[in-house]
Amino acid sequence: MTIALYADYVADLRSLFTELDRSPEQFQTFDVRLELAAAGGLIVYEARRRKGLTDSLYYGRSASTGANQQISQATAFAAIDRFLALGQFIALAGDASQNHAMDAGYPHCAVNFSYRKKGHPKALSMLMVFIGFNDDADALAYAEKATGTSAFVTARPCKGDRAHEWK
């Protein structure tokens, strides 16, 4: 069974994330939470806009101290943008993401993104966990050595009970 690759999807997500970070006023509403686990640390970018008011929180947890520390929006954005700029991605499938043991050698990013742009008739949302790789070969090698490919999305679009692409 082959796994689905997400480089094109994440490239579009990166553009949308950059637009939201740089021009939040172009969005009627949004609720964004990205959690990047890389090199033993954690970076969280969380922002919400409702009724014209925006609330945000950006923090990191270093591998050395294990303590959460508030960071700047620019620092959180830069870390997540670097992840989204990687060459290839695979996604964890719905309930499998609960049971997937994270390999600290590969960055993982949980993305919970809901938004409605001004003037658009409906809101869109997605909830997925991506694992980042340098290229297709790295992604396929990782999937081959993983125990059970059922942990990964094998068909796009992903429309599971928990994880889903834009709907």
Side-chain angles (χ1 to χ4, degrees):
M1 187 181 294
T2 58
I3 59 167
L5 300 176
Y6 277 90
D8 59 329
Y9 184 91
V10 173
D12 292 341
L13 176 64
R14 181 181 184 205
S15 295
L16 181 65
F17 177 57
T18 300
E19 183 181 358
L20 182 130
D21 186 73
R22 302 291 183 243
S23 305
E25 68 281 353
Q26 293 182 2
F27 293 80
Q28 184 73 30
T29 62
F30 57 81
D31 192 350
V32 178
R33 183 175 175 93
L34 290 97
E35 297 179 17
L36 173 63
L42 177 73
I43 298 288
V44 176
Y45 182 110
E46 188 172 353
R48 180 174 294 115
R49 180 183 188 109
R50 296 280 182 261
K51 298 181 181 179
L53 299 175
T54 302
D55 186 27
S56 57
L57 177 65
Y58 315 101
Y59 64 92
R61 181 182 318 136
S62 73
S64 59
T65 65
N68 290 341
Q69 182 175 355
Q70 198 162 1
I71 59 176
S72 71
Q73 177 179 358
T75 300
F77 175 81
I80 292 171
D81 187 60
R82 276 192 307 274
F83 171 80
L84 297 175
L86 290 173
Q88 191 54 268
F89 302 86
I90 59 177
L92 296 179
D95 295 330
S97 61
Q98 298 283 335
N99 302 323
H100 175 74
M102 287 184 24
D103 183 339
Y106 297 91
H108 288 60
C109 189
V111 180
N112 188 349
F113 203 131
S114 301
Y115 75 96
R116 179 175 169 212
K117 283 191 171 184
K118 288 184 176 177
H120 287 224
K122 67 177 189 171
L124 295 172
S125 70
M126 60 93 61
L127 175 61
M128 298 188 77
V129 177
F130 297 103
I131 307 169
F133 303 93
N134 292 325
D135 55 29
D136 292 5
D138 285 346
L140 296 172
Y142 177 85
E144 280 183 25
K145 73 177 184 175
T147 56
T149 57
S150 64
F152 306 115
V153 173
T154 56
R156 290 181 56 185
C158 174
K159 299 285 185 197
D161 293 336
R162 298 191 57 130
H164 59 275
E165 292 184 32
W166 297 115
K167 65 175 187 174

